[in-house]
Amino acid sequence: MKLEGVELRRIAMPLVAPFRTSFGTELDREVVLVRVVATDAEGWGECVAMSEPRYSSEYVDTAVDVLRRFLVPALLGLHNPDVHRAERVLAQFKGHPMSKAALEAALLDAQLRESGTSLGSFLGAVHESVPAGVSVGIMDSVAELLTAVDGYLDQGYLRIKLKIEPGWDFAPVRAVRERYGSELLLQVDANTAYTLADARHLAKLDAFDLLLIEQPLPAADIAGHAELAKHLRTPICLDESITSAKVAVHAINLGATRIVNIKPGRMGGYLEARRVHDVCAAHGVPVWCGGMLETGIGRAANVALAALPNFTLPGDTSASDRYYARDITDPFVLEDGHVRVPTGPGLGVEPDPDALHAVTTSTEWLPA
């Protein structure tokens, strides 16, 4: 495949409602899209870095800079590049997994479009649709939370995830469990908001038969999660901590996690995400697909990944209207609580030119 160049496009997507977590409140989503243009095909990728370095050290401005100065030139310097060679050449640059993942995804999309292969087929998908959960942010009151959960359950979501932090944990979880009963698939996500000193407090959540508690401690504290697990009946699921298949195996062997949240952007791309899936399957550890407020570009790729066999729990693969009044692709919709896996070549979705133009704030072309 001969590359002609790469476009970096920044867009601003207003959210349908503020989304609050323990590390901040999002009112809109600034996104870097990467378009790889080859002689016979083009492909799209989405960088999931946020506007500020709160969720991770990466953020939008650094993503654009490292793509422009290092990653894209390295890719364009390859003769007849393919995604596996690209992964190896990008590995020479330390860190920046979200930027690497976006470029890898765009190249992979172009490569698969050229061969007429869907991303799901390439990754090893075994399902035509995937069960959809929804992530519910921190609210100003329990009453507001219950109203929101009512709405999501009415729409057909199969699992509810509550964002928690110190001061917003036991009461909202108890209220949701009491209102909807034990049949509701319910889990919580702390986004690193606690310390090991909170073990006794977190153990109170055991009373609510949660599917899991996600990332209670800081990302680097895998040993602390192993210690915390000794005090909880609720399974610990690691998210921010799991950056590679090697780290996943280490965390599993330490007893730090019984479930893993896979986010390709955190792992540097879909090739490494598939490796994490495979090593977790080999160790009998189920996985599910997390979300980062993706547009239809990133959502299409995540849905294809979530169709692999060891994704046995509903993920954050919500419908498009969970976050956006108008997506930049044809919207993903709920069908009996599931989202359909695209079957067309590559990602199986295309940006709508008018929708894309309406939210674009800048573009930059980097020729080969």
Side-chain angles (χ1 to χ4, degrees):
M1 184 167 61
K2 182 175 175 56
L3 299 184
E4 297 182 355
V6 174
E7 179 189 74
L8 305 180
R9 179 182 292 260
R10 296 175 72 149
I11 66 174
M13 298 283 289
L15 297 174
V16 295
F19 187 66
R20 179 182 165 193
T21 69
S22 63
F23 57 81
T25 301
E26 297 289 326
L27 301 176
D28 51 35
R29 188 73 168 96
E30 187 178 10
V31 180
V32 179
L33 296 177
V34 178
R35 181 170 67 102
V36 167
V37 179
T39 303
D40 298 316
E42 68 176 38
W44 290 86
E46 178 172 341
C47 181
V48 296
M50 301 250 178
S51 300
E52 299 179 350
R54 298 181 184 274
Y55 174 81
S56 75
S57 59
E58 284 189 87
Y59 59 101
V60 168
D61 288 341
T62 60
V64 171
D65 184 67
V66 76
L67 282 161
R68 176 195 302 120
R69 296 175 58 196
F70 301 106
L71 304 184
V72 170
L75 175 65
L76 295 177
L78 287 176
H79 179 66
N80 292 328
D82 66 66
V83 70
H84 297 285
R85 291 184 64 206
E87 182 186 38
R88 291 193 293 271
V89 76
L90 296 183
Q92 68 183 295
F93 303 107
K94 305 301 182 185
H96 303 281
M98 296 175 180
S99 304
K100 292 175 181 176
L103 187 56
E104 178 201 276
L107 178 64
L108 182 57
D109 186 28
Q111 182 178 318
L112 294 176
R113 287 180 188 275
E114 191 175 55
S115 66
T117 305
S118 72
L119 178 60
S121 296
F122 172 83
L123 294 173
V126 296
H127 302 292
E128 295 181 353
S129 63
V130 298
V134 65
S135 182
V136 185
I138 295 167
M139 304 282 182
D140 290 332
S141 68
V142 169
E144 183 183 1
L145 172 69
L146 294 176
T147 298
V149 173
D150 278 343
Y152 293 130
L153 293 178
D154 287 345
Q155 292 175 45
Y157 283 103
L158 301 178
R159 182 228 68 197
I160 297 294
K161 180 173 84 172
L162 304 180
K163 295 288 189 176
I164 62 171
E165 65 180 1
W168 180 266
D169 42 34
F170 188 83
V173 173
R174 178 178 59 189
V176 170
R177 181 56 87 202
E178 288 179 350
R179 184 180 185 103
Y180 305 104
S182 60
E183 298 303 312
L184 174 65
L185 298 180
L186 180 63
Q187 63 192 58
V188 297
D189 181 9
N191 288 117
T192 76
Y194 296 85
T195 71
L196 195 54
D198 297 308
R200 181 174 296 181
H201 177 71
L202 291 172
K204 295 178 182 178
L205 296 174
D206 286 344
F208 303 114
D209 294 320
L210 302 175
L211 287 173
L212 56 92
I213 177 171
E214 185 181 350
Q215 198 69 46
L217 308 183
D221 195 6
I222 293 178
H225 283 99
E227 179 61 30
L228 178 63
K230 299 175 183 177
H231 302 275
L232 304 183
R233 178 171 56 82
T234 304
I236 290 177
C237 168
L238 290 185
D239 173 2
E240 288 91 335
S241 295
I242 306 299
T243 55
S244 68
K246 182 178 179 180
V247 172
V249 171
H250 174 62
I252 292 167
N253 288 340
L254 278 183
T257 189
R258 289 161 55 189
I259 301 168
V260 167
N261 173 355
I262 293 183
K263 289 178 181 171
R266 197 184 62 239
M267 299 167 181
Y270 288 85
L271 298 183
E272 188 64 20
R274 183 172 60 182
R275 295 184 193 109
V276 174
H277 165 275
D278 292 348
V279 299
C280 287
H283 286 78
V285 172
V287 301
W288 57 281
C289 187
M292 293 287 289
L293 313 183
E294 287 91 350
T295 72
I297 298 295
R299 195 170 307 278
N302 284 352
V303 169
L305 178 70
L308 271 63
N310 195 41
F311 283 86
T312 57
L313 297 173
D316 290 337
T317 47
S318 308
S320 295
D321 64 5
R322 163 64 183 92
Y323 298 111
Y324 304 116
R326 182 187 187 187
D327 208 338
I328 59 171
T329 67
D330 286 341
F332 285 84
V333 298
L334 281 186
E335 300 175 10
D336 294 324
H338 290 67
V339 174
R340 189 170 296 278
V341 179
T343 57
L347 295 179
V349 298
E350 300 274 0
D352 176 83
D354 292 336
L356 188 61
H357 176 75
V359 295
T360 294
T361 59
S362 69
T363 62
E364 181 176 357
W365 174 251
L366 303 173

